[in-house]
Amino acid sequence: MQPDAHLRSLFNPDSIAIIGVSRSSHKLGNVILSNLIAAGYKGTIFPVNPAGGEILGIPTFSDISALPKPPDLGIIVLPREKVLNAMQELAEANVSAICVITAGFRETGRDGFEIEMEMAELARRKGITLLGPNTLGLINTATGLNATIAQAKPTKGSIAFFSQSGALCSAILDWADGENIGFSKFISLGNKAGISEADVLESLGEDPDTKVIIGYLESVDDGQNFLTKARAVTNKKPIIIIKAGTTQAGARATSSHTGSIAGSVIASTAAFKQAGIIPVKSLESLFDLARAFAEQPLPKGPNLTVVTNSGGPGILAADACEAANLNLARPSTATLEKLTAVLPPFAAIYNPIDIIGDAKAERYRATLEAVAQDTMTNAILVLLTPTASAEIEATAQVIIDVAQTCDKPIFASFMGDERIGPGRDMLLQAGIPCYGYPEPAVRAISAMHAHYQWKTRPYPVEVCFRRDKGRAERTIQSLMAQGISELPFSEAMDIAMAYELPVPETRLVRTSDQAVRAAKKLGYPVALKLVSPHIPSRSDVNGVALDLATPREVRDAWLDITSRAQRKRPGAYIAGCLVQTMGPTKAREVVIRFTQDPQFGPLVSFSLAGPSAEVLGDISYRLAPLTLQDVQDIVREIKSFPLLRGIRGEEPVNLAAIEDILLSMSQMATDFPEIREAELNPILVDAEGALVTDLRLTIG
């Protein structure tokens, strides 16, 4: 392996010093030494123990200064109060990388956090690659490196796994051993005081021994860096991640576990989508997909052919296909002719292909050979239920034989337990994923096809939109100097114009007489909107009046709006009202917002206007900066998109106008992290264009 230079000493050390080795087999330092020996590590090991002598037959050094040469990797297994001194001594010995197994740092409170920060600063200042603290260690099966405190010993494979949970690593190693799943690399990140998940992804992306990267994440330290590096890796190989801390209870547990902030699940979901990461919700799904990606080629299309000896499982597979956006394509005419010749007359030759419960292995063979040659088939799923006639092991061998001459992915679902066990083991040993039920098999095929689409997608086009950044910057800095967080309307509109957002002519007025004069200058009809820094949502007090066509209507609306606001919010300061020209009469209303996520940065959302979007959750999200593909996807992703496209003879809206506003807001969010929240609500859009009728900005 040729990992990135700053991780080479972790994955490929020529020499390792273990600080805190004990003679007791129950102590962690002894476990690490034993694991290195058992894994066949070929480099030099320097155990360090004040008593000297030998441990497990290897000469031991009394302290770090006595080492005959600088080690590439130093592993520290000492009480917390001794870790920092050991790191300083290793730094003086010119170590390249340090792995701190010891726990009790930021996850325990302020004292531990401060020590961890000192460790991180020491590593940064000395140019040392730091893994941990609070880590299980790491494994590289290609070089016989097992520098962990785990008891299980993984076999060699093409799956790389990383995790923030050391205990979870131990459990997965033990489980994978029973499932005969091998690993290329295995790394426990711990508290991530040094290297992060982004660093590991970058290294594994270049690792020739790794075909699939899987991981368990609780938090992401630098979301934008993670997004950039993950996107580069997924262009070459799949990344499958289970994200924890997605509920309030999970977030609290995350903080107490590694001292990390779990962050917004919406932001992490958007990040995964934009980076091409495949998210899963369970460890079972994580390894179901990992095995599929590691052992089968990607399907080059969505057409799945299902071959079954029972109608029920075939129907379950058909339902799963529809839910997973796969197609059960009709076999070609040539394939139908072949199937008619080899199957009983009462067999179902259309997809799913039901070859009937009395099917023996040779009937499976004839069917699979015909299907494998069908150009309409992109992937094959073979279902078997253990009927009295089923030849389970012989059928497994048939599937293996066909797979060896077929360039399409083949999956199996042998349903049952004791009887199907030998056949299932044969398939797994031959590299053919075999599932207990059709649904997980279909989900795996769908994920692989989605990854194929991701890898073959057009190159994303990033856009730098026109704007007067200096004008916006002067406004924001002036308001921040005054301690103002909620921007007054005039300043918000000034920033909107700096970013060339399409806004209507607007006047801020403080009396009903001013409102009438402003309406006359703008031209009737007009809209009247309440302005109050204490009432961010005008709908809460019914603070908007539309289509006002006369001076009398303007005066009556003024009195109605302001008196109702004072009655409902007696302590609120009423700054006046906005008088605006009316937008197009048959426009539809949409909302664009962004907030600053603590881990991933600006999170942009899009929805139709009104409370129904939030109640029903019909909102789509992306992280800025947005590409052209992002803005097209975010608009079309909401369930209510057909209302924008036009139904029942309605004219479609100008989608390009919405996309332009999204790109402008993305640019604004990227330019100014000081803007904590922004909301354009509503935006009126019709076939001609879009108009931003209201803008709210919060800075800080």
Side-chain angles (χ1 to χ4, degrees):
M1 170 188 173
Q2 296 295 327
D4 297 306
H6 72 294
L7 293 186
R8 184 195 178 282
S9 295
L10 272 177
F11 284 120
N12 266 2
D14 292 328
S15 55
I16 300 174
I18 307 173
I19 319 303
V21 177
S22 169
R23 286 175 169 78
S24 170
S25 61
H26 300 293
K27 298 290 187 178
L28 298 184
N30 188 283
V31 172
I32 292 176
L33 179 59
S34 177
N35 281 344
L36 283 170
I37 295 170
Y41 175 65
K42 303 300 183 184
T44 306
I45 304 174
F46 301 127
V48 177
N49 181 296
E54 284 191 1
I55 298 178
L56 297 181
I58 299 178
T60 302
F61 300 87
S62 58
D63 56 59
I64 296 170
S65 61
L67 298 180
K69 66 175 183 178
D72 289 329
L73 172 62
I75 302 174
I76 299 177
V77 196
L78 293 171
R80 185 182 79 174
E81 60 273 11
K82 297 182 179 181
V83 169
L84 189 57
N85 285 338
M87 282 189 63
Q88 290 170 337
E89 292 181 30
L90 285 169
E92 292 170 4
N94 295 318
V95 73
S96 300
I98 294 176
C99 170
V100 180
I101 303 293
T102 309
F105 294 90
R106 77 165 69 188
E107 74 275 15
T108 62
R110 180 174 178 176
D111 291 344
F113 175 82
E114 290 178 349
I115 298 173
E116 186 173 315
M117 291 303 98
E118 290 186 63
M119 294 161 55
E121 172 58 24
L122 172 63
R124 186 199 60 78
R125 191 173 66 250
K126 296 292 187 178
I128 295 171
T129 299
L130 173 61
L131 174 61
N134 189 20
T135 173
L136 183 89
L138 76 160
I139 295 170
N140 179 0
T141 58
T143 61
L145 173 71
N146 182 356
T148 70
I149 55 175
Q151 296 295 326
K153 298 170 179 58
T155 58
K156 194 172 182 179
S158 59
I159 300 171
F161 178 79
F162 69 91
S163 170
Q164 283 179 245
S165 168
L168 185 64
C169 286
S170 294
I172 285 174
L173 281 172
D174 186 63
W175 176 84
D177 185 51
E179 290 291 314
N180 197 30
I181 291 177
F183 294 98
S184 56
K185 306 290 181 294
F186 202 96
I187 185 165
S188 166
L189 293 170
N191 291 6
K192 300 186 296 185
I195 65 168
S196 68
E197 59 285 324
D199 300 313
V200 171
L201 285 179
E202 186 176 32
S203 180
L204 295 175
E206 300 299 325
D207 179 16
D209 299 322
T210 296
K211 289 179 63 177
V212 186
I213 302 169
I214 62 176
Y216 166 85
L217 275 183
E218 293 175 357
S219 66
V220 176
D221 293 334
D222 183 346
Q224 286 292 329
N225 182 42
F226 172 83
L227 188 61
T228 299
K229 291 185 176 179
R231 186 185 289 121
V233 173
T234 55
N235 287 327
K236 296 176 285 189
K237 58 186 72 172
I239 301 174
I240 309 165
I241 288 180
I242 181 170
K243 174 70 169 66
T246 58
T247 64
Q248 290 185 358
R252 288 193 298 270
T254 293
S255 179
S256 64
H257 182 209
T258 58
S260 301
I261 300 173
S264 162
V265 62
I266 293 173
S268 63
T269 300
F272 287 7
K273 187 175 297 183
Q274 288 172 261
I277 292 171
I278 301 164
V280 295
K281 295 182 179 180
S282 69
L283 291 171
E284 183 179 17
S285 295
L286 186 73
F287 283 96
D288 279 348
L289 294 189
R291 194 195 296 270
F293 275 100
E295 296 174 343
Q296 291 293 309
L298 296 178
K300 298 179 180 179
N303 293 342
L304 173 65
T305 296
V306 177
V307 178
T308 179
N309 69 342
S310 177
I315 295 170
L316 292 176
D319 289 341
C321 281
E322 185 164 333
N325 295 318
L326 294 175
N327 302 328
L328 287 178
R330 174 189 171 114
S332 68
T333 301
T335 301
L336 291 174
E337 291 175 354
K338 293 177 184 177
L339 294 175
T340 302
V342 299
L343 295 180
F346 41 87
I349 61 174
Y350 298 100
N351 201 359
I353 301 171
D354 185 355
I355 63 175
I356 309 303
D358 64 351
K360 297 187 181 296
E362 286 309 307
R363 192 181 296 173
Y364 269 100
R365 184 185 299 276
T367 305
L368 290 175
E369 287 177 347
V371 167
Q373 297 172 15
D374 193 332
T375 56
M376 294 298 295
T377 296
N378 303 122
I380 302 170
L381 173 58
V382 186
L383 308 180
L384 180 144
T385 55
T387 63
S389 302
E391 298 175 335
I392 295 170
E393 292 174 65
T395 302
Q397 187 59 53
V398 164
I399 298 171
I400 295 168
D401 294 342
V402 173
Q404 290 174 347
T405 60
C406 179
D407 61 352
K408 300 168 184 176
I410 296 183
F411 300 78
S413 173
F414 279 24
M415 302 176 68
D417 189 9
E418 187 173 345
R419 278 194 64 198
I420 62 93
R424 174 183 179 272
D425 293 343
M426 287 174 61
L427 291 168
L428 294 178
Q429 191 67 34
I432 296 173
C434 184
Y435 304 89
Y437 303 97
E439 293 88 347
V442 171
R443 285 195 294 268
I445 298 165
S446 177
M448 293 178 71
H449 176 243
H451 183 64
Y452 174 79
Q453 289 179 306
W454 170 264
K455 291 181 68 174
T456 56
R457 75 197 187 285
Y459 194 80
V461 178
E462 296 187 3
V463 179
C464 182
F465 241 57
R466 292 180 302 172
R467 81 278 196 204
D468 186 347
K469 185 178 177 182
R471 176 181 176 181
E473 188 172 22
R474 289 189 294 273
T475 300
I476 291 172
Q477 288 181 347
S478 173
L479 292 170
M480 290 186 70
Q482 299 174 57
I484 296 174
S485 59
E486 187 80 23
L487 267 66
F489 177 78
S490 57
E491 282 78 0
M493 292 301 286
D494 190 57
I495 292 176
M497 288 185 283
Y499 279 80
E500 299 189 5
L501 294 174
V503 295
E505 287 193 75
T506 306
R507 300 285 188 276
L508 174 63
V509 296
R510 303 187 186 279
T511 67
S512 59
D513 287 340
Q514 290 179 359
V516 170
R517 289 195 294 270
K520 182 178 179 180
K521 288 182 180 179
L522 294 177
Y524 290 102
V526 296
L528 201 65
K529 300 179 179 181
L530 181 74
V531 177
S532 170
H534 301 125
I535 307 176
S537 177
R538 297 187 181 96
S539 62
D540 292 345
V541 295
N542 197 16
V544 177
L546 304 175
D547 290 314
L548 305 176
T550 66
R552 179 61 180 267
E553 289 181 6
V554 171
R555 290 183 189 278
D556 289 347
W558 173 279
L559 179 62
D560 185 44
I561 288 173
T562 55
S563 60
R564 183 166 48 248
Q566 289 170 343
R567 185 172 65 255
K568 289 190 172 184
R569 302 289 176 84
Y573 168 66
I574 308 301
C577 286
L578 303 176
V579 181
Q580 283 185 340
T581 55
M582 285 296 298
T585 56
K586 294 184 178 180
R588 271 143 277 183
E589 298 183 0
V590 300
V591 180
I592 295 173
R593 298 183 177 95
F594 74 74
T595 59
Q596 296 287 346
D597 182 80
Q599 291 184 0
F600 290 98
L603 178 66
V604 181
S605 70
F606 174 79
S607 69
L608 294 189
S612 60
E614 294 187 10
V615 172
L616 299 176
D618 191 18
I619 306 172
S620 54
Y621 299 90
R622 291 294 186 279
L623 292 164
L626 302 179
T627 65
L628 286 176
Q629 187 65 51
D630 288 332
V631 297
Q632 291 171 3
D633 290 344
I634 195 174
V635 171
R636 290 158 179 81
E637 199 170 278
I638 59 173
K639 297 181 180 68
S640 45
F641 173 69
L643 297 176
L644 300 178
R645 190 176 53 204
I647 58 174
R648 296 180 180 177
E650 289 184 337
E651 203 173 9
V653 304
N654 189 326
L655 297 175
I658 300 175
E659 293 163 4
D660 285 347
I661 296 174
L662 280 163
L663 288 168
S664 293
M665 292 297 284
S666 169
Q667 190 73 60
M668 183 191 299
T670 306
D671 286 345
F672 294 105
E674 302 95 325
I675 301 179
R676 308 309 300 170
E677 294 183 40
E679 178 179 271
L680 308 184
N681 183 14
I683 302 168
L684 303 180
V685 57
D686 64 5
E688 300 301 319
L691 192 66
V692 178
T693 63
D694 207 353
L695 170 65
R696 185 174 64 86
L697 294 175
T698 303
I699 57 175

